[in-house]
C-alpha cells in the first residue's frame, strides 16, 4: 500500500496545511521528506519526495520560485511545502 500526499495531509502536523495548487496530485505517493534551503539542494531531490522549505531560497524573486517548481516537477517531487 502506498502512502500518499492525501494520507500525509490527514496526520499531524500536516492536517492544517492549505493546498494552493495541484489538488489533482493528492494521490501522488510520498516516500521521502526533504528540506530545500539552498539553490543547489534541487540536485538532491528524489522522486516521490515531499520538500519542505521556509521559502528563503526564493527570496530573490518570483521567477526563481517558478523555475524551482519546474525543476521539482521534472525530478518527480511529490509536493512542495512552504512555511
Amino acid at each position: 500500500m502506498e502512502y500518499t500526499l492525501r494520507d500525509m495531509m490527514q496526520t499531524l502536523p500536516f492536517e492544517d496545511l492549505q493546498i494552493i495548487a495541484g489538488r489533482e496530485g493528492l494521490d501522488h505517493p510520498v516516500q521521502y521528506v526533504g528540506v530545500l534551503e539552498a539553490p543547489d539542494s534541487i540536485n538532491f531531490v528524489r522522486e516521490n519526495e515531499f520538500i519542505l522549505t521556509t521559502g528563503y531560497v526564493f527570496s530573490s524573486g518570483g521567477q526563481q520560485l517558478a523555475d524551482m517548481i519546474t525543476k521539482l516537477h521534472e525530478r518527480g517531487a511529490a509536493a512542495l511545502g512552504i512555511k
Side-chain angles (χ1 to χ4, degrees):
M1 183 174 152
E2 287 185 327
Y3 184 73
T4 66
L5 187 56
R6 184 182 309 277
D7 297 326
M8 189 174 107
M9 293 197 59
Q10 294 173 356
T11 63
L12 286 172
F14 302 106
E15 64 185 5
D16 291 331
L17 293 179
Q18 293 180 359
I19 299 170
I20 59 171
R23 192 169 299 278
E24 65 278 356
L26 284 174
D27 293 315
H28 193 101
V30 176
Q31 293 178 304
Y32 312 99
V33 176
V35 176
L36 191 142
E37 289 303 326
D40 67 340
S41 296
I42 190 73
N43 299 322
F44 304 100
V45 172
R46 297 179 278 184
E47 186 174 2
N48 300 327
E49 186 170 8
F50 180 80
I51 302 299
L52 295 168
T53 183
T54 62
Y56 180 76
V57 70
F58 309 123
S59 62
S60 66
Q63 186 58 48
Q64 186 179 17
L65 173 59
D67 293 344
M68 188 68 69
I69 289 171
T70 298
K71 289 178 185 177
L72 288 171
H73 177 72
E74 290 169 355
R75 295 190 67 87
L80 174 63
I82 303 173
K83 179 178 180 183

